[in-house]
């Protein structure tokens, strides 16, 4: 732990000379590799942004170099695995109180090594106020950026790159937060930034925006008047007072003026007729809490009405609210939402942002990084390093949190390629990848959180076993356990912390935490072995299929796909079987399958379709390594190719559980081609194309796929999409509407889920869908 001294007063009345303990590994991470800085200093909070390179381990696969004939022995694996260091880019955003600015700048200076830039981009009023201090402490020249430009750039960036960034707030519903999916076209919108005053900006494109109005009655007004009325000088303490107050003791309501006659006017009796209206005539002292609540209502209502009028004037139906005034405070969000709904009659939507406090810092960073063109990449929130909405991460120095509540983090990783919508989505703007919203479904949430907690020991054991030569594997695995456990506890209490809670987000958070502690692919050895075993069976399986008549073969191919999907190490029911019975194989898996009729069974309809003309091109999203891809997917691919259908086989870009990765699929396809002339010629003639999805998740988000895959799907005119696996076809995409034919196949390997769907363990989903004409 590093000791830093603060020059200002701490929260809770700490004296000036107390030192603050900052956990450097958690808060200012990767500082020694920082390349560029930006800072946004408001009236009370400082937001620091920096871009750093992060070194982490990756598991690489490579074909053995066989010269001449294939001399592979039975005991030899089909490829070799090596763990290598790779460098990726990460954006860090840290938010802290201005009280600690000197301590934090000192800490940054002490841990700063070889920064490539000699300039720090700065925005906000503090860019002027603290200019000399920053230049002196960091030895970097302060380059001031326009506040409004930074805000817009930051807002566009988070709306494009962070799924579930925007939410509507509904006080009396459960949950209170309703998150929006990433809309492919975010423009136009209205941004209402509530700082000391209010600025209202119409945003039409990435670079075209216009300041159209504002008000001097904003956050500073609440703070100033609040201080005069309550003698409370701290903004957050004022908000706390307001949350405990009862505004009706101070405000004059419609029913106070009209009595019961308000109903004849068509007005609610509880509507505020006059803010602070009772204070002129009432002969009493008002409590600080009631006055603070009345003041908060007055200012929030005023801002909501103003925003609504500007939205209607400019024909806009989406209004995003940002700025330090909101701070995720429920009373503020509720009042603004009520005001917008009331004055627009529900036609304008009030939206809030999970990271609204970072918009200026993000924009300032982007202004300074234009030569790197960060907008040509896609970015993803790193759940391992980010604090959740309305929660301090439990892992951030718990002993200090009670005193300062200071630090809040957002981390974003730069992805290899731009991610875009699958062109075959029927309506990208209404597409929701996840089947069940755990934020909404308390029973499912409790089950899945417990499920992930109980699986943690197994994941830790697997992670350690995957690195037998590492002396610190057990120690790192223990750190992973603690971090992921803390995340799960945060989500128990605040399921909305990272947006909509889903099985997908729980799995992705686990993968992020594993990567954080250098476990890039805990299943790499398992996959290597499973692929080797399955390759040895390929010719026998294909010969047996070829011996069947046409109709028998179609059912056998589908059963093979389903049996292959049983081999999922992410499912406890399966991993228990695979751990205890090493002889469990393809034929045993077929016997596990539910007999027809299946739980969801449109096989008859699919068979009829196969009697018609061949599809032009099939896009297949593969799931697991080993038996699944080699004995399930490839024979199915082979049959489609034989019918004259081109095939695009899409596999994960990076590892997750025992899912097959793109690089593994290249080696597997090469080995199969050496045994099978159909696959060999299809690869050579590019009728079979292997591509990566851009994802490293056991689930599948069709709105964030590799741009190269999307281009290929368009070029080849794909008219059939096959999605296999529980993660891809049940937890996600079960309800996905496509504009072409689709097959969604999975075996249910979780007894709770099977029961909920009305089936049993190893029930089958075979869902063939044709879009409505």
């Amino acid at each position: 732990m590093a000791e830093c001294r603060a020059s200002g007063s701490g929260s809770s009345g700490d004296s000036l000379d107390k030192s603050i303990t900052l956990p450097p590994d958690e808060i200012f991470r990767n500082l020694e590799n920082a390349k560029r800085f930006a800072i946004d200093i408001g009236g009370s909070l400082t937001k620091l942004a920096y871009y750093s390179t992060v070194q982490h381990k990756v598991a690489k696969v490579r074909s053995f170099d066989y010269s001449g004939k294939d001399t592979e022995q039975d005991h030899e694996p089909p490829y070799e695995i090596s763990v290598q260091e790779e460098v990726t880019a990460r954006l860090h955003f840290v938010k802290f109180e201005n009280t600690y600015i000197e301590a934090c700048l000192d800490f940054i200076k002490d841990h700063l090594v070889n920064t490539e830039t000699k300039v720090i981009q700065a925005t906000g009023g503090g860019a002027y106020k603290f200019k000399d201090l920053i230049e002196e402490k960091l030895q970097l020249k302060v380059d001031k950026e326009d506040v409004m430009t930074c805000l817009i750039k930051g807002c566009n960036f988070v709306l494009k790159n962070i799924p579930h960034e925007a939410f509507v707030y509904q006080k009396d519903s459960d949950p209170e937060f309703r998150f929006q999916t990433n809309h492919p076209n975010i423009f136009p919108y209205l941004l209402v930034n509530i700082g000391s005053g209010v600025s209202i900006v119409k945003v039409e494109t990435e670079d075209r925006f216009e300041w159209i109005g504002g008000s001097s009655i904003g956050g500073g007004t609440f703070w100033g008047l609040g201080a005069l009325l309550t003698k409370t000088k701290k903004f957050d303490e004022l908000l706390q007072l307001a949350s405990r107050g009862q505004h009706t003791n101070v405000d004059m309501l419609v029913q106070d003026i009209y009595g019961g006659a308000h109903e004849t006017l068509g007005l609610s009796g509880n509507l505020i007729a006059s803010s602070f209206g009772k204070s002129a005539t009432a002969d009493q002292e008002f409590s600080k809490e009631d006055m603070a609540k009345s003041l908060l209502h007055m200012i929030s209502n005023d801002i909501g009405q103003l925003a609504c009028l500007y939205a209607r004037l400019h024909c806009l139906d989406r209004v995003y609210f940002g700025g330090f005034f909101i701070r995720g405070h429920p009373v503020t969000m509720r009042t603004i939402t009520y005001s917008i709904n009331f004055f627009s009659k529900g036609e304008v939507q009030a939206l809030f942002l999970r990271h609204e406090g970072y918009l200026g810092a993000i924009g300032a960073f982007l202004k300074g990084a234009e030569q790197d063109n960060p907008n040509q990449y896609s970015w993803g929130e790193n759940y391992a390093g980010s604090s959740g909405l309305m929660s301090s991460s439990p892992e951030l120095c718990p002993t200090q949190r009670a005193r300062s509540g200071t630090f809040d983090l957002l981390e974003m990783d730069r992805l290899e390629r731009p991610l875009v919508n699958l062109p075959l989505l029927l309506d990208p703007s209404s597409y929701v990848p996840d089947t069940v919203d755990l934020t909404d479904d308390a029973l499912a949430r409790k089950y899945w959180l417990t499920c992930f907690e109980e699986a943690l020991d197994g994941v830790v054991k697997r992670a350690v076993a995957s690195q037998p030569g590492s002396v610190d594997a057990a120690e790192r695995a223990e750190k992973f356990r603690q971090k992921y456990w803390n995340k799960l506890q945060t989500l128990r209490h605040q399921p909305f912390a990272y947006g909509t809670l889903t099985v997908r987000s729980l799995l992705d958070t686990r993968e992020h935490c594993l990567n954080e502690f250098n476990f890039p692919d805990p299943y790499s050895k398992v996959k290597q072995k499973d692929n080797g075993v399955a390759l040895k069976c390929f010719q026998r399986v294909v010969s047996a299929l070829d011996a069947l008549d046409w109709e028998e073969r179609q059912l056998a191919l589908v059963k093979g796909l389903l049996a292959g999907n049983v081999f999922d190490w992410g499912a406890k029911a399966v991993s228990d079987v695979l751990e205890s019975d090493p002889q469990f194989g393809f034929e045993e898996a077929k016997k596990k399958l539910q007999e027809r009729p299946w739980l969801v069974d449109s096989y008859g309809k699919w068979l009829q379709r196969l009697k018609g003309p061949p599809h032009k091109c099939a896009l297949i999203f593969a799931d697991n390594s080993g038996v699944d891809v080699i004995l399930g997917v490839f024979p199915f691919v082979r049959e489609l190719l034989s019918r004259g259908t081109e095939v695009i086989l899409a596999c994960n870009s990076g590892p997750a559980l025992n899912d097959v990765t793109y690089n593994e699929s290249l080696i597997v396809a090469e080995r199969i081609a050496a045994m099978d002339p159909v696959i060999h010629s299809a690869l050579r003639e590019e009728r079979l194309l292997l591509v990566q999805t851009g994802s490293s998740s056991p689930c599948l988000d069709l709105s964030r796929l590799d741009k190269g895959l999307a281009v290929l799907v368009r070029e080849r005119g794909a008219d059939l999409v096959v999605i296999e696996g529980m993660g891809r076809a049940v937890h996600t995409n079960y309800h996905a509407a496509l504009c072409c034919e689709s097959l969604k196949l999975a075996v249910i390997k979780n007894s709770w889920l099977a029961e909920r769907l009305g089936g049993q363990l190893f029930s089958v989903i075979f869902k063939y869908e044709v879009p409505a004409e």
Side-chain angles (χ1 to χ4, degrees), residues 78-315:
Y79 52 81
E80 60 180 326
I81 305 166
S82 61
V83 174
Q84 298 172 18
E85 290 284 336
E86 200 168 80
V87 175
T88 53
R90 182 174 287 175
L91 276 174
H92 305 257
F93 301 96
V94 185
K95 183 160 63 180
F96 51 88
E97 293 168 14
N98 288 355
T99 302
Y100 305 110
I101 189 164
E102 285 208 44
C104 292
L105 291 175
D106 277 335
F107 182 83
I108 292 162
K109 181 186 71 176
D110 292 345
H111 290 77
L112 201 57
V113 186
N114 301 327
T115 181
E116 287 177 2
T117 180
K118 298 301 171 199
V119 174
I120 181 168
Q121 255 58 41
T123 190
Y128 297 85
K129 183 177 178 181
F130 294 106
K131 176 180 178 290
D132 294 342
L133 178 70
I134 296 166
E135 291 188 337
E136 177 201 330
K137 294 277 188 191
L138 297 187
Q139 300 295 297
L140 298 174
K141 180 180 174 291
V142 168
D143 195 349
K144 293 187 284 295
E145 298 290 351
D146 175 64
V147 173
M148 203 51 62
T149 304
C150 291
L151 279 171
I152 305 303
K153 273 191 171 293
C155 194
N156 292 342
F157 185 82
V158 295
L159 288 174
K160 283 194 304 184
N161 286 289
I162 304 184
H164 302 154
E165 171 62 28
F167 61 90
V168 295
Y169 184 79
Q170 299 165 316
K171 171 66 181 140
D172 298 317
S173 66
D174 184 22
E176 297 166 31
F177 299 84
R178 297 270 168 194
F179 293 92
Q180 309 285 295
T181 51
N182 270 35
H183 198 287
N185 183 12
I186 61 173
F187 306 109
Y189 66 83
L190 201 67
L191 177 65
V192 177
N193 193 62
I194 315 168
S196 298
V198 179
S199 295
I200 299 176
V201 187
K202 180 170 79 167
V203 185
E204 293 181 278
T205 68
E206 195 69 51
D207 298 306
R208 196 165 81 240
F209 56 88
E210 179 188 0
W211 185 89
I212 55 173
S215 169
S216 62
I217 299 169
T221 317
F222 173 68
W223 199 351
L225 281 178
L228 290 171
L229 289 166
T230 69
K231 304 295 182 258
T232 301
K233 293 293 186 185
K234 291 192 174 170
F235 189 86
D236 286 317
E237 286 176 20
L238 266 176
L239 286 175
Q240 283 301 313
L241 285 175
S243 65
R244 297 194 298 269
Q246 181 55 263
H247 77 99
T248 53
N249 294 333
V250 183
D251 293 342
M252 190 175 287
L253 308 182
V254 168
Q255 66 193 19
D256 295 324
I257 300 174
Y258 290 95
H262 66 83
E263 290 176 4
T264 60
L265 303 171
L267 292 172
S268 162
N270 292 323
L271 206 62
I272 298 171
S274 174
S275 295
F276 288 90
K278 287 178 181 170
S279 58
T281 54
D283 186 20
Q284 66 180 80
E285 289 290 316
F286 294 103
S287 75
K288 291 180 179 182
E289 288 82 358
D290 293 350
M291 290 189 290
K293 181 70 160 277
S294 175
L295 183 61
L296 187 61
H297 270 304
M298 181 180 85
I299 290 167
S300 300
N301 270 321
D302 189 56
I303 292 168
Q305 182 176 14
L306 195 62
C308 175
L309 292 170
Y310 275 107
R312 298 296 288 268
L313 185 64
H314 291 271
C315 304

Side-chain angles (χ1 to χ4, degrees), residues 9 31 80 102 175 221 379 444 478 501 559 609 617 672 769:
S9 61
L31 254 183
E80 60 180 326
E102 285 208 44
T221 317
W379 299 77
E478 198 47 49
L501 183 63
K559 281 187 173 176
R609 171 63 187 87
C617 177
I672 290 174
E769 294 175 307

Side-chain angles (χ1 to χ4, degrees), residues 337-486:
T337 300
Y338 178 85
S339 179
I340 290 262
N341 283 341
F342 180 82
F343 289 110
S344 76
K345 297 183 171 58
E347 290 177 17
V348 177
Q349 194 172 39
L351 289 150
F352 304 95
L353 301 167
R354 282 202 291 135
H355 301 105
E356 51 89 12
Y358 287 122
L359 302 187
I362 291 171
F365 172 81
L366 293 171
K367 281 286 286 177
E370 281 172 342
Q371 65 268 40
D372 294 340
N373 198 0
N375 277 320
Q376 76 183 4
Y377 300 97
S378 287
W379 299 77
E381 182 175 5
N382 184 321
Y383 296 128
S386 295
S387 310
L389 178 67
M390 296 184 74
S391 66
S392 296
S393 287
E395 62 270 26
L396 294 190
C397 202
T399 54
Q400 291 299 317
R401 206 172 72 251
R403 175 151 64 90
S404 65
T406 324
F407 298 99
D408 179 62
L409 312 176
L410 165 63
E411 288 188 352
M412 299 182 73
D413 289 324
R414 193 179 81 188
L415 308 176
E416 293 283 316
R417 289 180 177 77
L419 300 182
V420 297
N421 281 306
L422 178 68
L424 300 172
L425 282 172
L426 188 62
D427 177 17
S429 64
S430 65
Y431 168 72
V432 177
D434 303 290
T435 307
V436 179
D437 179 347
L438 303 181
T439 332
D440 226 0
D441 189 330
L443 201 65
R445 178 169 75 244
K446 186 180 175 188
Y447 171 77
W448 284 110
L449 284 168
T450 303
C451 195
F452 277 89
E453 284 172 359
E454 289 173 352
L456 199 44
D457 283 347
V459 178
V460 168
K461 186 177 154 193
R462 170 72 52 201
V464 175
S466 72
Q467 297 181 2
S470 169
V471 291
D472 67 342
E475 184 189 339
R476 284 185 286 113
E478 198 47 49
K479 286 180 179 173
F480 152 73
R481 180 209 299 277
Q482 193 57 53
K483 182 140 204 170
Y484 189 55
W485 176 267
N486 284 336

Side-chain angles (χ1 to χ4, degrees), residues 501-538:
L501 183 63
T502 61
V503 173
R504 174 170 65 99
S505 68
L506 286 169
L507 284 162
D508 289 351
T509 304
R510 190 167 72 183
E511 293 299 323
H512 290 184
C513 290
L514 280 165
N515 275 309
E516 194 65 40
F517 295 103
N518 271 325
F519 293 107
D521 193 355
Y523 289 85
S524 57
K525 298 276 199 299
V526 173
K527 291 187 287 180
Q528 183 191 43
K529 179 172 172 272
D530 289 353
N531 284 331
V533 170
L535 282 166
K536 291 183 179 68
C537 305
F538 179 79

Side-chain angles (χ1 to χ4, degrees), residues 27-38:
I27 292 177
F28 296 104
R29 307 200 306 167
N30 309 305
L31 254 183
E32 68 279 6
N33 297 317
K35 307 294 179 197
R36 186 171 285 110
F37 284 88

